[in-house]
Amino acid sequence: MIKYPIYRPSLAGRERDYVLDCVDSTWISSKGKYVDRFENAFADYVGARHAASVCNGTVALHLALLSLDIGEGDEVIVPTFTYVASVNAITYTGAVPVFAESRRDTWQLDASDVETRITPRTKAILLVHLYGHPCDIAEFRKIADRHGLHLIEDCAEAIGTRYHGQHVGTFGDVACFSFFGNKTITTGEGGMVVTSRAEVDAKVRHLKGQGLASGREYWHDVIGYNYRMTNICAALGCAQLERIETIIENKQRVALAYQDALKDTPAVFQHQAEGVVHSHWMCSILTRRPEQRDPLRKRLSLAGIETRPLFPPIHLMPMYAGAQGDFPVAEDLAARGMNLPSYPELSPADIHYITDVMTEEFNEWVV
Ligand SMILES: *Cc1c(COP(=O)(O)O)cnc(C)c1O
């Protein structure tokens, strides 16, 4: 029996009221006041000029790439150590994902490795701010400027993450967020495309609504998509945004409590860079050796504590098996890493229970 799931959304605010308001008013589809309200409030929160809501984070990435005219014949550099959606979205456009290595300390995309993978076909670098820590954005800005590349930010795991005071998603040409059930704020399923470039926003909106031409009914001038968010999802999003500071503070409290309780154990934490606000989407650790990870997960599972492995590198998956390159750091992080229960409502006593079980396991290790 699972006593502590890996995640559980916090819906203790006005989520229920706003959803019932949609039902009572019959505005349950993709038009309605909550859609505009959520988009405006989200743009304000991250400090971007435009935010277009969509039905999940994966299609947000797809539209972000299309909005920069990325497609057949192009290459986009992406970490192999990421969630599969970052890579699949590139493939959907007809472009080729080119994998790059991760850093051992922050687990983020390695700028020096990225630079070696640039070719005349490279169009963009897709930065993934993984597990709530930002990439080294200043380094990537320099590389992008030097080679004339677009920067796209996958901020699905980085709501509340800041780099030198500025929220992620405002550094590149376009950025994507996800509001899946285990993301920092959730709409069940949902996503957002954020940009400060008006023409990018216009293209995203055109494509997400079936490529409808302006000023002419049922007339479509490109092959578009139905990628819209519903008013019900947006209603959840509005209620979540009202409580976002509390949710993030609680997640940070949980992460610090794990770090404190495990500081004298062999658990290895993601290194936090200078000048960074880490939003701690998932609290994650590495074991010293790969063969220690699964016994630890097993012990936690027997105590009713759910864990997850870190993401397996995408270059190892069958559909990308032909990809070029060796990625020993990504493979090592994935083999040693695991996520712990990371939801904002975990109490100090809950964390005490979880870290005690971990400490019992560590005490049996020789290393
Ligand atoms: C969750 C996630 C996505 C995809 O979001 P969905 O809303 O689940 O489609 C994309 N990239 C990363 C890094 C994610 O963690």
Side-chain angles (χ1 to χ4, degrees):
M1 203 196 64
I2 295 180
K3 193 161 165 226
Y4 295 107
I6 193 85
Y7 213 83
R8 177 186 283 163
S10 166
L11 305 174
R14 302 176 75 182
E15 286 81 358
R16 190 191 165 89
D17 292 346
Y18 291 172
V19 168
L20 286 176
D21 182 37
C22 295
V23 175
D24 291 343
S25 68
T26 78
W27 289 96
I28 57 172
S29 197
S30 56
K31 284 193 176 134
K33 65 181 181 191
Y34 291 109
V35 175
D36 293 339
R37 215 209 270 184
F38 185 38
E39 290 179 346
N40 292 332
F42 195 79
D44 277 353
Y45 175 73
V46 301
R49 216 165 291 152
H50 308 279
S53 60
V54 290
C55 52
N56 60 62
T58 306
V59 307
L61 283 162
H62 187 197
L63 291 183
L65 290 152
L66 293 176
S67 75
L68 300 174
D69 293 322
I70 288 166
E72 207 95 24
D74 297 331
E75 292 175 356
V76 178
I77 300 176
V78 63
T80 181
F81 183 46
T82 183
Y83 180 59
V84 70
S86 321
V87 180
N88 282 345
I90 298 168
T91 307
Y92 298 162
T93 68
V96 175
V98 172
F99 295 116
E101 182 62 295
S102 301
R103 293 172 61 118
R104 206 169 267 294
D105 52 0
T106 60
W107 311 352
Q108 306 303 314
L109 191 57
D110 182 334
S112 57
D113 186 74
V114 165
E115 205 154 17
T116 68
R117 309 208 185 250
I118 294 171
T119 75
R121 287 178 300 281
T122 309
K123 269 285 173 63
I125 305 169
L126 180 53
L127 301 178
V128 184
H129 307 301
L130 207 63
Y131 297 117
H133 188 292
C135 295
D136 191 353
I137 294 169
E139 279 306 308
F140 287 106
R141 178 81 270 157
K142 283 187 222 154
I143 294 173
D145 290 346
R146 199 149 56 224
H147 298 273
L149 305 177
H150 294 300
L151 277 187
I152 304 169
E153 298 179 73
D154 180 347
C155 307
E157 304 180 1
I159 300 169
T161 300
R162 283 165 207 276
Y163 180 84
H164 297 287
Q166 189 176 329
H167 201 288
V168 294
T170 57
F171 293 94
D173 296 86
V174 59
C176 305
F177 289 83
S178 164
F179 310 116
F180 182 66
N182 67 12
K183 296 293 161 67
T184 299
I185 63 166
T186 183
T187 62
E189 293 274 4
M192 198 74 85
V193 185
V194 163
T195 181
S196 288
R197 291 176 53 185
E199 75 285 8
V200 169
D201 181 63
K203 192 148 183 198
V204 167
R205 288 177 189 278
H206 187 213
L207 289 172
K208 82 170 197 174
Q210 302 282 23
L212 186 68
S214 68
R216 193 167 166 192
E217 290 160 297
Y218 292 120
W219 188 261
H220 306 266
D221 50 9
V222 295
I223 297 176
Y225 304 88
N226 177 0
Y227 281 175
R228 296 174 298 243
M229 176 179 274
T230 67
N231 200 42
I232 297 178
C233 289
L236 286 166
C238 288
Q240 289 270 285
L241 260 187
E242 290 172 5
R243 297 170 45 246
I244 192 165
E245 301 299 348
T246 312
I247 292 171
I248 292 170
E249 276 165 25
N250 275 316
K251 288 174 69 76
Q252 289 167 334
R253 171 187 56 76
V254 166
L256 294 180
Y258 277 123
Q259 285 172 19
D260 190 50
L262 297 171
K263 66 176 182 296
D264 299 321
T265 73
V268 178
F269 286 90
Q270 190 180 20
H271 173 77
Q272 189 169 330
E274 295 282 310
V276 155
V277 175
H278 192 327
S279 61
H280 296 286
W281 171 55
M282 280 281 165
C283 300
S284 311
I285 61 150
L286 309 179
T287 53
R288 289 268 163 90
R289 289 184 282 118
E291 59 274 21
Q292 293 168 326
R293 198 256 319 259
D294 291 347
L296 177 59
R297 293 192 62 205
K298 180 80 200 270
R299 185 170 202 130
L300 286 162
S301 169
L302 291 172
I305 301 160
E306 188 187 13
T307 63
R308 295 268 172 88
L310 295 191
F311 299 123
I314 310 299
H315 72 273
L316 299 176
M317 296 182 188
M319 60 287 191
Y320 296 109
Q324 299 259 319
D326 296 315
F327 308 96
V329 176
E331 289 182 21
D332 181 57
L333 293 171
R336 291 160 56 209
M338 57 192 268
N339 308 131
L340 302 169
S342 302
Y343 49 96
E345 285 159 5
L346 279 168
S347 72
D350 296 332
I351 293 163
H352 199 78
Y353 173 79
I354 295 166
T355 53
D356 274 356
V357 175
M358 295 175 76
T359 304
E360 280 167 29
E361 174 75 15
F362 292 142
N363 286 342
E364 289 175 14
W365 295 357
V366 188
V367 180

